[in-house]
Amino acid sequence: MTHLSAPNASPSSAAAHVEALLASYPDFPQPDILFRDLNPVFADAVAFRAIVDDLADQHRGQFDAVAGIEARGFLLAAAVGYAANAAVLAVRKGGKLPGTVLIEEYDLEYGSARLELEVGQLPAGTRVLILDDVLATGGTIAATSRLIERAGYTLTGVGVVLELIDLHGRERLGTAPVHAIMSI
């Protein structure tokens, strides 16, 4: 099903859009995992704008760059970076970046993975906001936080569209302020 909101639809909160459009898939990518899919939310122009505006507004004036985590974090970081006139950093899955990279390995709720960040893209001390679609167990965002700090940047906050509170991911993120548009 395709969702196309009218460009002049009445305003509503980003959380209401997420709640209305979020899809759930039991037993994906493996048994006993309930996958929360934000793609229908991103495919709706009005909902996507509301999400970008919410994330940019919550952190306005607090960052010079946004770091998007592959892959859906890229969508958010590019849009928020554009809206806030901020630099964009791509935090990639292992083996996808050339040159000198920093590497962080971490555990997922259903496996393990590796993230990388190219070194020397921004001046030391640059204030960075991390953006991703979902905060689950916190492993991906915690690994990204370590990469940001190891690169010499200053982590100023984390923004996500959806937080799965039963997985306690926020506890792994230390003192960085976390803004979740919707928590379930």
Side-chain angles (χ1 to χ4, degrees):
M1 175 196 269
T2 302
H3 298 281
L4 297 175
S5 297
N8 57 2
S10 62
S12 77
S13 73
H17 285 294
V18 173
E19 185 174 11
L21 298 170
L22 181 68
S24 297
Y25 296 93
D27 299 319
F28 181 83
Q30 66 186 40
D32 298 323
I33 300 290
L34 177 60
F35 185 81
R36 305 296 184 145
D37 186 13
L38 288 165
N39 284 330
V41 182
F42 294 157
D44 183 294
V46 173
F48 187 66
R49 178 183 288 273
I51 288 167
V52 170
D53 289 348
D54 184 295
L55 291 170
D57 290 346
Q58 285 295 321
H59 301 278
R60 193 162 307 281
Q62 301 171 15
F63 62 93
D64 307 305
V66 288
I69 303 170
E70 189 167 349
R72 285 171 284 192
F74 290 172
L75 303 171
L76 298 167
V80 171
Y82 177 81
N85 195 33
V88 177
L89 296 171
V91 178
R92 302 287 316 261
K93 294 176 182 174
K96 303 227 178 177
L97 291 173
T100 305
V101 297
L102 298 173
I103 298 169
E104 279 292 330
E105 295 189 12
Y106 65 102
D107 292 325
L108 297 164
E109 57 270 29
Y110 46 84
S112 63
R114 182 175 97 183
L115 292 175
E116 297 178 348
L117 178 67
E118 279 185 83
V119 297
Q121 296 180 79
L122 300 170
T126 298
R127 300 174 307 156
V128 177
L129 169 67
I130 295 172
L131 296 178
D132 204 7
D133 60 338
V134 177
L135 170 57
T137 64
T140 305
I141 295 174
T144 300
S145 298
R146 291 189 300 272
L147 284 172
I148 296 301
E149 291 170 355
R150 288 177 53 213
Y153 308 139
T154 302
L155 176 62
T156 60
V158 173
V160 297
V161 178
L162 181 66
E163 179 180 8
L164 306 176
I165 55 176
D166 288 347
L167 298 178
H168 307 287
R170 192 178 286 245
E171 296 170 10
R172 296 181 69 183
L173 303 183
T175 61
V178 178
H179 169 66
I181 291 174
M182 183 176 154
S183 298
I184 54 175

